[in-house]
mmCIF file of all heavy atoms in Angstrom:
data_model
loop_
_atom_site.group_PDB
_atom_site.id
_atom_site.type_symbol
_atom_site.label_atom_id
_atom_site.label_comp_id
_atom_site.label_asym_id
_atom_site.label_seq_id
_atom_site.Cartn_x
_atom_site.Cartn_y
_atom_site.Cartn_z
ATOM 1 N N GLY Z 1 58.179 -15.306 29.433
ATOM 2 C CA GLY Z 1 58.931 -16.548 29.608
ATOM 3 C C GLY Z 1 60.347 -16.416 29.069
ATOM 4 O O GLY Z 1 60.718 -15.415 28.461
ATOM 5 N N GLY Z 2 61.143 -17.444 29.323
ATOM 6 C CA GLY Z 2 62.507 -17.434 28.832
ATOM 7 C C GLY Z 2 63.353 -18.433 29.566
ATOM 8 O O GLY Z 2 62.844 -19.327 30.248
ATOM 9 N N SER Z 3 64.663 -18.282 29.429
ATOM 10 C CA SER Z 3 65.627 -19.174 30.069
ATOM 11 C C SER Z 3 66.368 -18.427 31.157
ATOM 12 O O SER Z 3 66.747 -17.266 30.964
ATOM 13 C CB SER Z 3 66.620 -19.702 29.029
ATOM 14 O OG SER Z 3 65.962 -20.486 28.057
ATOM 15 N N VAL Z 4 66.570 -19.094 32.268
ATOM 16 C CA VAL Z 4 67.244 -18.472 33.404
ATOM 17 C C VAL Z 4 67.999 -19.551 34.170
ATOM 18 O O VAL Z 4 67.631 -20.737 34.115
ATOM 19 C CB VAL Z 4 66.216 -17.750 34.303
ATOM 20 C CG1 VAL Z 4 65.261 -18.742 34.941
ATOM 21 C CG2 VAL Z 4 66.883 -16.883 35.340
ATOM 22 N N GLN Z 5 69.019 -19.151 34.875
ATOM 23 C CA GLN Z 5 69.749 -20.097 35.717
ATOM 24 C C GLN Z 5 69.030 -20.280 37.050
ATOM 25 O O GLN Z 5 68.275 -19.408 37.497
ATOM 26 C CB GLN Z 5 71.174 -19.614 35.944
ATOM 27 C CG GLN Z 5 72.058 -19.697 34.702
ATOM 28 C CD GLN Z 5 73.518 -19.470 35.030
ATOM 29 O OE1 GLN Z 5 73.837 -18.709 35.933
ATOM 30 N NE2 GLN Z 5 74.395 -20.132 34.289
ATOM 31 N N ALA Z 6 69.282 -21.402 37.675
ATOM 32 C CA ALA Z 6 68.701 -21.682 38.983
ATOM 33 C C ALA Z 6 69.028 -20.549 39.953
ATOM 34 O O ALA Z 6 70.148 -20.037 39.968
ATOM 35 C CB ALA Z 6 69.225 -23.008 39.527
ATOM 36 N N GLY Z 7 68.005 -20.167 40.719
ATOM 37 C CA GLY Z 7 68.151 -19.061 41.642
ATOM 38 C C GLY Z 7 67.706 -17.725 41.070
ATOM 39 O O GLY Z 7 67.572 -16.744 41.812
ATOM 40 N N GLY Z 8 67.485 -17.699 39.765
ATOM 41 C CA GLY Z 8 67.084 -16.460 39.114
ATOM 42 C C GLY Z 8 65.590 -16.200 39.212
ATOM 43 O O GLY Z 8 64.847 -16.950 39.867
ATOM 44 N N SER Z 9 65.167 -15.133 38.542
ATOM 45 C CA SER Z 9 63.775 -14.702 38.607
ATOM 46 C C SER Z 9 63.239 -14.421 37.206
ATOM 47 O O SER Z 9 63.990 -14.059 36.298
ATOM 48 C CB SER Z 9 63.642 -13.424 39.444
ATOM 49 O OG SER Z 9 64.052 -13.626 40.773
ATOM 50 N N LEU Z 10 61.932 -14.586 37.079
ATOM 51 C CA LEU Z 10 61.212 -14.208 35.872
ATOM 52 C C LEU Z 10 59.846 -13.674 36.283
ATOM 53 O O LEU Z 10 59.311 -14.073 37.324
ATOM 54 C CB LEU Z 10 61.012 -15.400 34.925
ATOM 55 C CG LEU Z 10 62.198 -15.891 34.098
ATOM 56 C CD1 LEU Z 10 61.827 -17.171 33.367
ATOM 57 C CD2 LEU Z 10 62.667 -14.833 33.119
ATOM 58 N N ARG Z 11 59.300 -12.800 35.457
ATOM 59 C CA ARG Z 11 57.950 -12.299 35.687
ATOM 60 C C ARG Z 11 57.109 -12.558 34.454
ATOM 61 O O ARG Z 11 57.429 -12.054 33.370
ATOM 62 C CB ARG Z 11 57.973 -10.804 35.988
ATOM 63 C CG ARG Z 11 56.619 -10.241 36.433
ATOM 64 C CD ARG Z 11 56.632 -8.737 36.388
ATOM 65 N NE ARG Z 11 55.536 -8.139 37.147
ATOM 66 C CZ ARG Z 11 55.068 -6.909 36.913
ATOM 67 N NH1 ARG Z 11 55.612 -6.169 35.963
ATOM 68 N NH2 ARG Z 11 54.070 -6.441 37.651
ATOM 69 N N LEU Z 12 56.076 -13.347 34.622
ATOM 70 C CA LEU Z 12 55.144 -13.620 33.538
ATOM 71 C C LEU Z 12 53.983 -12.636 33.599
ATOM 72 O O LEU Z 12 53.539 -12.242 34.682
ATOM 73 C CB LEU Z 12 54.608 -15.044 33.642
ATOM 74 C CG LEU Z 12 55.630 -16.177 33.692
ATOM 75 C CD1 LEU Z 12 54.919 -17.527 33.719
ATOM 76 C CD2 LEU Z 12 56.607 -16.102 32.541
ATOM 77 N N SER Z 13 53.506 -12.265 32.418
ATOM 78 C CA SER Z 13 52.328 -11.411 32.310
ATOM 79 C C SER Z 13 51.306 -12.076 31.401
ATOM 80 O O SER Z 13 51.662 -12.813 30.473
ATOM 81 C CB SER Z 13 52.701 -10.047 31.717
ATOM 82 O OG SER Z 13 53.619 -9.368 32.519
ATOM 83 N N CYS Z 14 50.048 -11.814 31.680
ATOM 84 C CA CYS Z 14 48.968 -12.330 30.844
ATOM 85 C C CYS Z 14 47.944 -11.214 30.659
ATOM 86 O O CYS Z 14 47.309 -10.784 31.630
ATOM 87 C CB CYS Z 14 48.321 -13.545 31.493
ATOM 88 S SG CYS Z 14 46.817 -14.132 30.668
ATOM 89 N N ALA Z 15 47.823 -10.768 29.430
ATOM 90 C CA ALA Z 15 46.863 -9.716 29.101
ATOM 91 C C ALA Z 15 45.596 -10.351 28.554
ATOM 92 O O ALA Z 15 45.644 -11.189 27.643
ATOM 93 C CB ALA Z 15 47.463 -8.771 28.079
ATOM 94 N N ALA Z 16 44.469 -9.951 29.114
ATOM 95 C CA ALA Z 16 43.183 -10.535 28.726
ATOM 96 C C ALA Z 16 42.319 -9.519 28.003
ATOM 97 O O ALA Z 16 42.305 -8.336 28.352
ATOM 98 C CB ALA Z 16 42.452 -11.030 29.970
ATOM 99 N N SER Z 17 41.608 -9.996 27.008
ATOM 100 C CA SER Z 17 40.617 -9.161 26.348
ATOM 101 C C SER Z 17 39.252 -9.460 26.962
ATOM 102 O O SER Z 17 39.094 -10.399 27.741
ATOM 103 C CB SER Z 17 40.589 -9.462 24.849
ATOM 104 O OG SER Z 17 40.169 -10.806 24.628
ATOM 105 N N GLY Z 18 38.264 -8.645 26.622
ATOM 106 C CA GLY Z 18 36.923 -8.900 27.111
ATOM 107 C C GLY Z 18 36.599 -8.088 28.343
ATOM 108 O O GLY Z 18 37.441 -7.398 28.911
ATOM 109 N N SER Z 19 35.359 -8.223 28.790
ATOM 110 C CA SER Z 19 34.853 -7.362 29.858
ATOM 111 C C SER Z 19 34.657 -8.077 31.190
ATOM 112 O O SER Z 19 34.144 -7.477 32.130
ATOM 113 C CB SER Z 19 33.518 -6.764 29.413
ATOM 114 O OG SER Z 19 32.591 -7.808 29.147
ATOM 115 N N ILE Z 20 35.057 -9.335 31.286
ATOM 116 C CA ILE Z 20 34.789 -10.095 32.507
ATOM 117 C C ILE Z 20 36.039 -10.332 33.341
ATOM 118 O O ILE Z 20 36.001 -11.082 34.322
ATOM 119 C CB ILE Z 20 34.125 -11.455 32.185
ATOM 120 C CG1 ILE Z 20 35.031 -12.305 31.288
ATOM 121 C CG2 ILE Z 20 32.752 -11.246 31.583
ATOM 122 C CD1 ILE Z 20 34.543 -13.726 31.110
ATOM 123 N N PHE Z 21 37.142 -9.708 32.980
ATOM 124 C CA PHE Z 21 38.398 -9.972 33.687
ATOM 125 C C PHE Z 21 38.252 -9.723 35.177
ATOM 126 O O PHE Z 21 38.631 -10.559 36.005
ATOM 127 C CB PHE Z 21 39.524 -9.108 33.115
ATOM 128 C CG PHE Z 21 40.844 -9.288 33.822
ATOM 129 C CD1 PHE Z 21 41.710 -10.299 33.438
ATOM 130 C CD2 PHE Z 21 41.212 -8.455 34.869
ATOM 131 C CE1 PHE Z 21 42.928 -10.479 34.080
ATOM 132 C CE2 PHE Z 21 42.422 -8.627 35.533
ATOM 133 C CZ PHE Z 21 43.280 -9.641 35.131
ATOM 134 N N SER Z 22 37.704 -8.585 35.555
ATOM 135 C CA SER Z 22 37.686 -8.192 36.966
ATOM 136 C C SER Z 22 36.804 -9.090 37.823
ATOM 137 O O SER Z 22 36.944 -9.102 39.044
ATOM 138 C CB SER Z 22 37.232 -6.737 37.105
ATOM 139 O OG SER Z 22 35.892 -6.597 36.677
ATOM 140 N N ILE Z 23 35.903 -9.836 37.204
ATOM 141 C CA ILE Z 23 35.016 -10.709 37.960
ATOM 142 C C ILE Z 23 35.360 -12.182 37.751
ATOM 143 O O ILE Z 23 34.568 -13.067 38.092
ATOM 144 C CB ILE Z 23 33.534 -10.446 37.618
ATOM 145 C CG1 ILE Z 23 33.275 -10.558 36.113
ATOM 146 C CG2 ILE Z 23 33.101 -9.089 38.142
ATOM 147 C CD1 ILE Z 23 31.809 -10.414 35.737
ATOM 148 N N SER Z 24 36.530 -12.432 37.204
ATOM 149 C CA SER Z 24 36.994 -13.795 36.948
ATOM 150 C C SER Z 24 38.083 -14.193 37.926
ATOM 151 O O SER Z 24 38.806 -13.338 38.443
ATOM 152 C CB SER Z 24 37.562 -13.911 35.531
ATOM 153 O OG SER Z 24 36.593 -13.628 34.545
ATOM 154 N N THR Z 25 38.194 -15.492 38.150
ATOM 155 C CA THR Z 25 39.375 -16.037 38.820
ATOM 156 C C THR Z 25 40.450 -16.252 37.766
ATOM 157 O O THR Z 25 40.179 -16.803 36.699
ATOM 158 C CB THR Z 25 39.041 -17.366 39.514
ATOM 159 O OG1 THR Z 25 38.148 -17.111 40.599
ATOM 160 C CG2 THR Z 25 40.302 -18.015 40.067
ATOM 161 N N MET Z 26 41.643 -15.803 38.066
ATOM 162 C CA MET Z 26 42.765 -15.934 37.143
ATOM 163 C C MET Z 26 43.780 -16.899 37.732
ATOM 164 O O MET Z 26 44.021 -16.919 38.943
ATOM 165 C CB MET Z 26 43.421 -14.587 36.889
ATOM 166 C CG MET Z 26 42.492 -13.553 36.300
ATOM 167 S SD MET Z 26 41.802 -14.033 34.709
ATOM 168 C CE MET Z 26 43.292 -14.218 33.703
ATOM 169 N N GLY Z 27 44.376 -17.684 36.860
ATOM 170 C CA GLY Z 27 45.356 -18.656 37.349
ATOM 171 C C GLY Z 27 46.502 -18.849 36.384
ATOM 172 O O GLY Z 27 46.416 -18.506 35.198
ATOM 173 N N TRP Z 28 47.588 -19.349 36.934
ATOM 174 C CA TRP Z 28 48.733 -19.800 36.144
ATOM 175 C C TRP Z 28 48.880 -21.298 36.361
ATOM 176 O O TRP Z 28 49.008 -21.754 37.504
ATOM 177 C CB TRP Z 28 50.007 -19.085 36.559
ATOM 178 C CG TRP Z 28 50.080 -17.664 36.109
ATOM 179 C CD1 TRP Z 28 49.764 -16.551 36.835
ATOM 180 C CD2 TRP Z 28 50.495 -17.201 34.820
ATOM 181 N NE1 TRP Z 28 49.946 -15.423 36.079
ATOM 182 C CE2 TRP Z 28 50.405 -15.791 34.831
ATOM 183 C CE3 TRP Z 28 50.946 -17.825 33.657
ATOM 184 C CZ2 TRP Z 28 50.746 -15.002 33.731
ATOM 185 C CZ3 TRP Z 28 51.275 -17.050 32.571
ATOM 186 C CH2 TRP Z 28 51.171 -15.656 32.604
ATOM 187 N N TYR Z 29 48.845 -22.039 35.276
ATOM 188 C CA TYR Z 29 49.078 -23.473 35.302
ATOM 189 C C TYR Z 29 50.397 -23.747 34.593
ATOM 190 O O TYR Z 29 50.865 -22.926 33.800
ATOM 191 C CB TYR Z 29 47.949 -24.218 34.580
ATOM 192 C CG TYR Z 29 46.650 -24.269 35.336
ATOM 193 C CD1 TYR Z 29 45.863 -23.129 35.477
ATOM 194 C CD2 TYR Z 29 46.194 -25.445 35.917
ATOM 195 C CE1 TYR Z 29 44.660 -23.172 36.170
ATOM 196 C CE2 TYR Z 29 45.001 -25.498 36.610
ATOM 197 C CZ TYR Z 29 44.237 -24.354 36.726
ATOM 198 O OH TYR Z 29 43.054 -24.402 37.420
ATOM 199 N N ARG Z 30 50.956 -24.920 34.860
ATOM 200 C CA ARG Z 30 52.182 -25.280 34.166
ATOM 201 C C ARG Z 30 52.168 -26.756 33.805
ATOM 202 O O ARG Z 30 51.539 -27.563 34.484
ATOM 203 C CB ARG Z 30 53.405 -24.934 35.022
ATOM 204 C CG ARG Z 30 53.520 -25.707 36.330
ATOM 205 C CD ARG Z 30 54.707 -25.169 37.115
ATOM 206 N NE ARG Z 30 54.948 -25.950 38.333
ATOM 207 C CZ ARG Z 30 55.924 -25.700 39.191
ATOM 208 N NH1 ARG Z 30 56.750 -24.678 38.982
ATOM 209 N NH2 ARG Z 30 56.087 -26.464 40.259
#
């Protein structure tokens, strides 16, 4: 996350622990 001007880009990442990641639905909420 961070601050950016309109028209710009950002890339969010989410690292998960545990063994069920590959069989889970992942989402981004705001």
Side-chain angles (χ1 to χ4, degrees):
S3 296
V4 65
Q5 289 191 327
S9 298
L10 284 173
R11 188 194 196 203
L12 305 183
S13 299
C14 172
S17 64
S19 60
I20 60 171
F21 178 86
S22 65
I23 55 176
S24 299
T25 292
M26 301 300 299
W28 286 97
Y29 287 72
R30 64 185 185 180

